[in-house]
Amino acid sequence: MSRTILDLHVLQTVPPSNINRDDTGAPKTAIYGGVRRARVSSQAWKRATRLAFDSLLDPGELGTRTKRVAELLAERIRELDSSIEEREAWTLAAETVQTATGSKIEVPKRRADAAKKKGEGEPAPESAYLMFLSARQRDGLAELAVEGRADIKAFLKDKDNKKRAKEIADTRHSVDIALFGRMVADGADINVDAAAQVAHAISVHAVENESDYYTAVDDRNTDAEPGAGMIGTVEFNSATLYRYAALDVDLLRKNLGEGLRDDEPVTEPLRRAVEAFVRGFVESLPSGKLNTFGNNTLPDAVIVKLRTSRPISFVGAFEEPVMLGNGHLQEASGRLADYIPEVELAYGAEDGTDTWVLRIGRSTEKLSGLGTELSLPDLVSAVGAAVAQRPAPAK
Amino acid sequence: MSVLALLLAGPLQAWGASARFARRTTEHAPTKSGVIGLLAAAQGRERTADLADLAGLRFGVRVDQPGTRIRDYQTAKHFDTGKSMPVSERFYLADAVFVAAVEGDDTLIDDLHRAVQAPVYLPYLGRRSCPPARRVDIGVHRDQSLEQVLADQEWRAAGWYQRSRKRESTVPLTTFVDATPGDSRNDSVRDLPLSFDPLHRRYALRGVRTDTVDVPNPKARRSAPPDHNPTILLGGD
């Protein structure tokens, strides 16, 4: 079976910062190689990546995660046919989603009671769980609902229509659902397995959290009360992070489906999704305490590999923590430059592994031999083009 | 019968056996359901597929480096409305290394071996955000028992950890192996997977026998302490 797997390796230095904190406000940490490391959870970075998609992709390619699927779908139904009243649209939407996903869509009792007390009409029905519907799925279900408007219950009882509803919910996933998965807790047949795997970012060196004691002066202080307006502490650390993510390109292709537009190649959705993922992951940064610390940095080094059998994380290069030497970045680059060929040699370098490198400054010089060196826009389009050329795995 | 040995090492791992709802705990060692899940995913089985053959494999795991348990506090905000969602606690084993092994008939073991070398779904150590840091597959062993393989495998702990125990020329490592009928001392864990169907996951109880095996420490201090017996000078017998 031909296989396509992409892995991304990033070295990024962040100055004093608190990107991702725990319930005590301290930056998250983990132990690795016997010492404490700075950690940024995979969840935090996935969210940052998804947010970055907003500027990289058309909203029509993204999904919405909500319990209020009926309202969402009803809006689209009324766009299609403005003669449908809101309440009727809610009912149409609820019936259609219920058939498509198998999840109950009903008015939450609490809301219904509250509305009654206030003398308002019955509110919109909701799903019990957060549902992730892509724009394309929403459009498909709305069209179906309008078609069966006359008697939606009977329409959806029809075996073919029922099947159509299920099919719409099960295919044509938009980019972020296809990448990061979807959770519909009781509609298992439309669950999407995420194509991307993001590891927790950890520092390549040992870290101790530090504490910043601050005082804030009240501008309207009088001489009678000259003290600070308030005092407090903020915890922070500085780190050179190793960030790793892997992308199952074949699964992404399956999740997205092939392009349906006549004026573009069938691999177009795949190419756009891979490009958005690479660019979004590389450039994004979780926004925790960003205004306090102004830690807006970009990665100093990015290595992208396109492989044929399995992804490889290089975090092992940093199991022995990097010591300061000539700076963490230079030491870390040296470690990667030695470790990557060693691992690939030991386990048999695969044929057809492509490698691209983006790197900044003298500290990362050692990485230059690992692959084709490009700027980010060029790297992103090179990866996209290579992915589009890879064959789909045999079914 | 053959045995497939797997190396489970990474900065973070999570092996839940009784993790429910917002509190996702981890056991101290990989669970049978977790490792079977890894193998089934490598083969590309769907979540609803029959697992009877995999669940029927004998399973054992050796703790090469116990690691530390860390707690991750996770908040979530609704992506569209910005509302806060229920907070959850996730526990991880940080810095741990395990050797896990499954024993079964040759064909199935060979098939699993091929699958872990070129997995259909990307492998992870119990939780998706925990990719393995080293190669998972460490080989098939023919005509050996599970216990033998766990006893004979070299010590896979990290260099720094082996050095930290350089005074011990051999180290005792804990193993957890499927109990056999007649084992007098065993605990039970609800981690025998019957179905990974997300609509209705089911696990059965599994008897687990705890043992220790002694393995050599490659980083042990080379020269043994000199043979020094001061009482010899005193004569006598």
Side-chain angles (χ1 to χ4, degrees):
Chain A
M1 193 177 88
S2 65
R3 195 80 169 88
T4 307
I5 291 163
L6 185 83
D7 50 50
L8 283 166
H9 313 268
V10 174
L11 290 176
Q12 181 164 3
T13 300
V14 274
S17 56
N18 188 349
I19 303 177
N20 185 210
R21 57 191 185 269
D22 68 14
D23 45 346
T24 68
K28 287 183 176 179
T29 58
I31 308 277
Y32 190 47
V35 301
R36 188 163 295 282
R37 311 292 182 105
R39 174 171 66 94
V40 181
S41 76
S42 60
Q43 188 212 13
W45 224 300
K46 278 194 284 195
R47 181 176 163 87
T49 308
R50 277 187 62 190
L51 285 169
F53 287 167
D54 282 348
S55 58
L56 296 172
L57 290 165
D58 187 274
E61 290 172 282
L62 301 173
T64 303
R65 192 176 191 208
T66 178
K67 284 184 179 181
R68 304 163 81 153
V69 276
E71 272 177 316
L72 182 71
L73 191 52
E75 276 170 29
R76 183 75 189 129
I77 289 173
R78 296 185 68 204
E79 274 170 38
L80 291 174
D81 186 343
S82 55
S83 72
I84 299 175
E85 294 293 320
E86 188 174 47
R87 249 159 225 296
E88 188 194 348
W90 285 351
T91 314
L92 289 176
E95 290 292 335
T96 314
V97 173
Q98 204 157 307
T99 307
T101 64
S103 304
K104 277 222 158 59
I105 311 285
E106 32 187 36
V107 179
K109 192 168 177 299
R110 186 174 42 81
R111 268 179 209 266
D113 291 348
K116 216 182 211 173
K117 241 181 224 162
K118 283 192 208 152
E120 290 166 4
E122 179 134 294
E126 294 180 8
S127 58
Y129 304 93
L130 288 175
M131 275 195 183
F132 220 154
L133 278 189
S134 74
R136 288 193 285 175
Q137 285 167 332
R138 188 181 69 141
D139 293 350
L141 291 175
E143 279 163 29
L144 197 68
V146 172
E147 204 184 312
R149 182 188 172 186
D151 184 350
I152 190 76
K153 279 205 165 140
F155 177 77
L156 290 168
K157 260 206 183 116
D158 180 83
K159 229 170 93 189
D160 287 334
N161 292 333
K162 196 172 176 176
K163 202 173 145 210
R164 271 169 69 200
K166 281 193 187 261
E167 268 170 11
I168 293 169
D170 201 16
T171 51
R172 303 211 290 171
H173 306 303
S174 64
V175 172
D176 58 352
I177 302 169
L179 280 167
F180 298 127
R182 169 173 58 182
M183 277 293 292
V184 181
D186 60 352
D189 53 340
I190 64 159
N191 267 356
V192 179
D193 271 301
Q197 180 180 39
V198 177
H200 294 239
I202 60 167
S203 64
V204 301
H205 50 89
V207 147
E208 288 303 333
N209 287 344
E210 296 175 66
S211 182
D212 179 35
Y213 171 81
Y214 66 86
T215 62
V217 179
D218 190 323
D219 284 345
R220 305 255 308 174
N221 253 3
T222 59
D223 290 341
E225 256 186 298
M230 70 172 292
I231 57 170
T233 53
V234 197
E235 284 189 70
F236 65 94
N237 59 36
S238 321
T240 296
L241 298 168
Y242 171 72
R243 300 168 46 206
Y244 166 78
L247 178 62
D248 184 336
V249 176
D250 300 323
L251 183 57
L252 181 64
R253 184 194 298 258
K254 195 179 133 213
N255 284 351
L256 287 170
E258 304 219 302
L260 302 169
R261 286 172 55 177
D262 298 331
D263 55 345
E264 54 184 34
V266 290
T267 51
E268 190 59 13
L270 180 69
R271 188 184 65 80
R272 290 176 56 77
V274 169
E275 290 189 355
F277 178 66
V278 173
R279 186 153 202 153
F281 183 72
V282 169
E283 286 188 328
S284 64
L285 185 70
S287 58
K289 292 255 178 211
L290 193 58
N291 288 339
T292 308
F293 290 101
N295 51 275
N296 273 305
T297 60
L298 285 165
D300 293 295
V302 177
I303 298 163
V304 182
K305 294 220 166 224
L306 204 56
R307 302 179 183 280
T308 55
S309 66
R310 62 191 149 193
I312 302 176
S313 157
F314 300 134
V315 73
F318 309 113
E319 186 165 11
E320 199 95 21
V322 163
M323 296 300 171
L324 196 50
N326 292 313
H328 290 136
L329 181 63
Q330 184 171 337
E331 301 289 320
S333 301
R335 289 272 186 93
L336 273 185
D338 293 341
Y339 187 80
I340 295 174
E342 216 172 285
V343 168
E344 291 183 346
L345 190 69
Y347 294 122
E350 310 153 26
D351 295 334
T353 300
D354 291 323
T355 308
W356 296 271
V357 177
L358 173 155
R359 55 167 210 91
I360 314 250
R362 287 224 310 263
S363 300
T364 59
E365 246 163 15
K366 285 192 172 157
L367 297 172
S368 64
L370 292 175
T372 319
E373 264 191 75
L374 293 171
S375 67
L376 187 62
D378 292 342
L379 181 145
V380 165
S381 45
V383 173
V387 161
Q389 277 168 20
R390 300 285 274 233
K395 297 233 162 81
Chain B
M1 289 297 215
S2 310
V3 175
L4 171 64
L6 303 170
L7 179 61
L8 306 173
L12 297 175
Q13 321 191 18
W15 305 99
S18 51
R20 296 288 179 272
F21 309 113
R23 190 179 157 85
R24 316 303 297 197
T25 51
T26 176
E27 304 295 304
H28 293 294
T31 55
K32 185 164 183 174
S33 59
V35 174
I36 297 284
L38 176 82
L39 294 171
Q43 284 188 320
R45 290 194 201 200
E46 298 304 318
R47 292 178 196 279
T48 48
D50 181 31
L51 291 173
D53 55 339
L54 296 181
L57 295 166
R58 280 196 73 219
F59 172 74
V61 58
R62 188 180 81 182
V63 184
D64 283 38
Q65 185 177 320
T68 318
R69 215 161 66 118
I70 64 165
R71 175 176 153 275
D72 188 40
Y73 167 79
Q74 184 170 305
T75 60
K77 272 204 178 152
H78 192 291
F79 207 78
D80 299 299
T81 64
K83 270 191 202 147
S84 292
M85 306 306 294
V87 297
S88 71
E89 278 180 301
R90 273 142 214 264
F91 290 85
Y92 294 89
L93 282 176
D95 217 5
V97 180
F98 304 98
V99 172
V102 286
E103 181 188 289
D105 73 64
D106 298 355
T107 348
L108 179 57
I109 292 293
D110 286 345
D111 194 39
L112 292 172
H113 188 212
R114 273 191 301 276
V116 288
Q117 286 175 327
V120 175
Y121 292 109
L122 304 188
Y124 53 84
L125 306 176
R127 199 171 283 151
R128 203 178 170 79
S129 57
C130 308
R134 301 192 217 164
R135 180 156 113 148
V136 169
D137 143 56
I138 44 172
V140 166
H141 305 263
R142 291 258 185 255
D143 304 317
Q144 279 188 49
S145 71
L146 185 67
E147 284 83 354
Q148 253 174 309
V149 171
L150 290 182
D152 294 349
Q153 273 292 316
E154 62 180 276
W155 193 23
R156 301 279 182 169
W160 70 269
Y161 189 75
Q162 293 182 344
R163 277 194 299 279
S164 76
R165 297 178 66 172
K166 61 177 180 243
R167 288 172 190 209
E168 301 163 78
S169 57
T170 62
V171 285
L173 303 179
T174 309
T175 60
F176 302 102
V177 182
D178 275 350
T180 46
D183 276 337
S184 54
R185 281 183 44 222
N186 63 55
D187 300 319
S188 50
V189 190
R190 188 170 288 283
D191 75 341
L192 179 66
L194 301 176
S195 167
F196 289 132
D197 184 346
L199 273 187
H200 192 44
R201 288 175 198 239
R202 283 180 303 133
Y203 303 95
L205 282 173
R206 174 173 74 98
V208 180
R209 190 182 72 225
T210 310
D211 266 319
T212 45
V213 293
D214 289 319
V215 295
N217 180 0
K219 296 265 163 44
R221 211 182 277 156
R222 287 257 163 72
S223 52
D227 200 8
H228 174 58
N229 184 354
T231 58
I232 285 174
L233 289 172
L234 301 173
D237 42 22

